Amino acid sequence: MSKQRYGVLVLPSANRVYADASIGLMSAELGVLDREILGGRISDLAAEAFGGVPYLTFTLPDPTEREIAFLSNLSALYALFRIADDGGLHPVAVHRLDRLDDDLLTIQKYPGKTNEQFTKMLLNVTVWAAASGPDMTGPEGRGKTLRIFDPMCGRGTTLNQALMYGFNADGMDIDTKDFEAYAGFLKTWLKRKRLKHTVELVPVRRERKLVGRKLDLTLGLSKDDYKAGDKRRLTVVNADTVRAPEFFAANSFDAIVTDAPYGVQHGARTQTSLSRSPSELLRAAVPAWTRLLKPGGTLGISWNTHVTPREDALAILTSAGLTPLNDGPYRDFAHRVDQAILRDIVIARKPA
């Protein structure tokens, strides 16, 4: 068995602050991948420069096609190289999960949009930590169709990344403007891409009372897939997230992934109040979300630690019956977004 060094060329980011943090964040992301999927086979993880360009380097003995497929989906991976003994870089063919054009992720521009690379990383590490994480991809990139839920989905960045991976995706958001904007974007994008699909925007009633609205989308990732009946589904509900069990079945999601309000430009909304801290919202909502997770499923949340300390977030997850993953690489995701926001990630697993 040969110990071979590899180098990841990091994808450039238009966000300067995120670009500065990207090597450290990818180190943590790769650490989670190694722990949960690769069996601890990665060693000598380091940041190195080749020709003045930063790379994340590591040693991995005789990687399989499946392992290369997992590495191919690192959130900030631009290219993967095998590093020769003389320092030469030899490109390694990557097998990304991507099933749709990337402008699904990049074309929407609006204040408060979460960085697409960060969203992909949050989705990755949450799924890898789940019982179904090993099913995410196989040799040459294709894995099982997982089901992802974002209970505070905004204008759908996480949902779009899930669709990009070929997953089924569901979301909720209480903001009517965001719901309408996302529905409008999807309709326009699908028509422009000429993807076969059906889409419905319908009211949801309980006991004859209007309790929300729902977007139901079914699409084929290609024309041939649609004809063959191989379709993906996306549902978004415009309602209060604490009511999620009214709209989605228990034990139905492989992973729940969400970016909590940062408590700076806007508050954390519940049905009856507006709070600067997401703590109140999470205390009310996490037990409801936990019911929706499959046994062994994971909940991944990013949030601003300036307004909710990490210890508080961990206590909320524990009190809901989840087991936080709080050691090693799971503690290495904190990074500055701006002066008012120190963003972190916490992941917890539902007992199997």
Side-chain angles (χ1 to χ4, degrees):
M1 182 181 293
S2 61
K3 291 189 72 174
Q4 180 61 60
R5 289 177 70 221
Y6 291 87
V8 173
L9 177 61
V10 177
L11 186 69
S13 175
N15 184 318
R16 183 68 244 173
V17 173
Y18 192 83
D20 290 343
S22 59
I23 288 285
L25 288 170
M26 184 182 276
S27 296
E29 182 183 8
L30 187 56
V32 172
L33 176 62
D34 186 42
R35 173 180 289 199
E36 303 295 347
I37 304 295
L38 304 184
R41 301 205 320 118
I42 285 179
S43 59
D44 306 319
L45 187 61
E48 296 185 52
F50 293 89
V53 177
Y55 287 74
L56 182 65
T57 63
F58 58 91
T59 298
L60 178 61
D62 298 326
T64 65
E65 286 188 15
R66 176 177 173 273
E67 289 173 332
I68 292 295
F70 271 100
L71 292 169
S72 299
N73 291 289
L74 288 167
S75 61
L77 182 142
Y78 193 38
L80 179 64
F81 296 92
R82 180 176 55 83
I83 305 172
D85 291 340
D86 62 3
L89 301 176
H90 300 269
V92 176
V94 296
H95 305 290
R96 302 183 194 275
L97 277 172
D98 297 356
R99 304 290 303 276
L100 298 166
D101 292 343
D102 63 6
D103 61 355
L104 174 64
L105 301 170
T106 61
I107 198 169
Q108 288 192 101
K109 305 293 183 185
Y110 53 88
K113 181 182 180 182
T114 304
N115 180 286
E116 295 95 346
Q117 291 175 27
F118 177 81
T119 298
K120 183 175 181 179
M121 181 181 66
L122 176 60
L123 177 61
N124 280 346
V125 295
T126 305
V127 170
W128 292 337
S132 52
D135 299 327
M136 177 175 170
T137 187
E140 301 188 358
R142 298 296 172 88
K144 291 185 178 179
T145 302
L146 306 183
R147 189 178 180 194
I148 307 300
F149 180 47
D150 183 349
M152 297 183 287
C153 66
R155 298 192 190 184
T157 306
T158 300
L159 305 183
N160 290 345
Q161 180 60 60
L163 284 179
M164 177 69 77
Y165 275 169
F167 298 160
N168 291 320
D170 298 85
M172 287 190 74
D173 204 275
I174 198 171
D175 191 302
T176 299
K177 290 183 179 179
D178 281 349
F179 174 80
E180 292 175 347
Y182 183 48
F185 163 73
L186 279 178
K187 290 177 182 178
T188 300
W189 189 86
L190 289 164
K191 287 179 181 177
R192 188 163 54 84
K193 296 296 178 178
R194 298 182 179 179
L195 288 171
K196 290 285 188 179
H197 67 280
T198 61
V199 60
E200 289 185 309
L201 191 60
V202 297
V204 180
R205 301 184 184 277
R206 298 281 189 274
E207 298 177 353
R208 298 183 180 180
K209 293 182 179 180
L210 181 67
V211 295
R213 290 188 298 165
K214 184 170 67 168
L215 173 72
D216 275 325
L217 169 67
T218 301
L219 77 154
L221 300 176
S222 69
K223 290 181 179 179
D224 290 341
D225 286 349
Y226 194 88
K227 289 179 181 178
D230 182 10
K231 302 173 185 178
R232 298 298 182 271
R233 186 192 50 72
L234 178 142
T235 296
V236 182
V237 176
N238 178 206
D240 187 350
T241 189
V242 300
R243 302 178 66 182
E246 297 179 27
F247 300 92
F248 301 101
N251 305 317
S252 58
F253 293 104
D254 295 281
I256 296 176
V257 182
T258 199
D259 191 26
Y262 295 154
V264 179
Q265 291 182 335
H266 52 78
R269 279 194 266 190
T270 64
Q271 194 168 26
T272 58
S273 65
L274 185 67
S275 169
R276 284 188 60 82
S277 168
S279 300
E280 179 184 345
L281 173 60
L282 293 177
R283 287 191 188 96
V286 168
W289 302 343
T290 299
R291 291 169 56 189
L292 306 184
L293 275 175
K294 294 178 180 178
T298 44
L299 169 60
I301 303 173
S302 61
W303 85 105
N304 181 10
T305 61
H306 284 326
V307 294
T308 299
R310 184 178 181 88
E311 291 73 20
D312 291 358
L314 293 170
I316 291 168
L317 295 170
T318 301
S319 66
L322 299 172
T323 302
L325 306 175
N326 192 41
D327 64 338
Y330 289 105
R331 293 191 62 89
D332 295 335
F333 288 105
H335 63 286
R336 185 175 67 88
V337 176
D338 59 31
Q339 284 188 332
I341 299 172
L342 181 66
R343 184 165 56 190
D344 201 357
I345 289 174
V346 67
I347 298 172
R349 186 182 292 127
K350 185 174 181 178

